[in-house]
Amino acid sequence: APLYSGHKRCHGVKIQGIVFPNGIQPWPYGPIDGSRHDSYVLQASGLLPLMQRLCGAAGHTFILFGDSAYPMSPYLYRMYRGNMPAWQTAFNRIMSPHRVSVEWGFGKIANLWPWLNVAHSQQTLCRDVGAYLRVANVFTNMHTCMYGSIISSKFKVEPPPLQLYMAGGPF
């Protein structure tokens, strides 16, 4: 059935996002049919080719750390699985505590705008849920600029001033 996620056992949509160490969430991509796999959403978003272009222009390689459902790439790392050599085990041990920070970003949106997280209010085919989520993302970033976030505190990176964020960056 369209929009049905067997993993979550409900109908819905997926949004892919990035969270910077300063708490800003610059990339709300979606919504995508909730039945699609995360790797499909990543491919459809064009995020990895964009990272390649941005890194080339900056002359520096930046790397995202993602969910284990995503494929490894020069611009996207994830936790290693299976029978691992010692260096991969060490990588997982070091990076594991940081994985939750992405969920904190999505959780901040849900906490600030609880209406978005209530299944019965999100009649996916009757409302533009994607627009609601994108607006909530911008408002959440504005809140982060003014009050910080648990993410910016954890990584000790200040979010940009609100005026700089509203002017389009840099973030």
Side-chain angles (χ1 to χ4, degrees):
L3 305 179
Y4 185 76
S5 169
H7 176 69
K8 299 276 186 180
R9 291 185 168 73
C10 65
H11 289 82
V13 296
K14 288 185 176 188
I15 302 289
Q16 176 182 274
I18 295 173
V19 181
F20 287 166
N22 64 5
I24 295 295
Q25 301 178 63
W27 185 265
Y29 178 78
I32 295 288
D33 180 340
S35 67
R36 294 299 204 149
H37 191 273
D38 288 350
S39 60
Y40 172 84
V41 179
L42 176 67
Q43 185 275 329
S45 74
L47 178 60
L48 295 181
L50 175 64
M51 286 291 294
Q52 183 177 13
R53 287 193 307 277
L54 292 173
C55 291
H60 185 79
T61 300
F62 296 97
I63 300 168
L64 302 171
F65 186 64
D67 188 85
S68 60
Y70 292 132
M72 293 284 262
S73 88
Y75 307 101
L76 178 64
Y77 290 179
R78 62 168 167 75
M79 301 291 268
Y80 290 97
R81 299 180 284 212
N83 189 11
M84 300 176 289
W87 72 268
Q88 288 178 344
T89 302
F91 175 88
N92 283 359
R93 187 175 48 256
I94 292 166
M95 293 304 291
S96 181
H98 302 299
R99 176 69 190 100
V100 72
S101 62
V102 174
E103 300 306 327
W104 290 340
F106 301 137
K108 183 171 183 176
I109 293 174
N111 287 333
L112 287 174
W113 321 108
W115 183 81
L116 292 173
N117 211 25
V118 179
H120 71 271
S121 68
Q122 296 304 318
Q123 298 170 358
T124 306
L125 297 176
C126 299
R127 296 195 171 114
D128 191 351
V129 175
Y132 296 156
L133 290 167
R134 286 187 295 276
V135 168
N137 189 87
V138 170
F139 286 165
T140 301
N141 284 342
M142 293 168 69
H143 185 276
T144 296
C145 290
M146 293 186 297
Y147 304 107
S149 73
I150 191 170
I151 299 165
S152 60
S153 296
K154 174 187 171 82
F155 291 107
K156 298 176 178 53
V157 180
E158 289 294 318
L162 180 59
Q163 296 80 2
L164 185 59
Y165 173 76
M166 295 305 291
F171 307 123

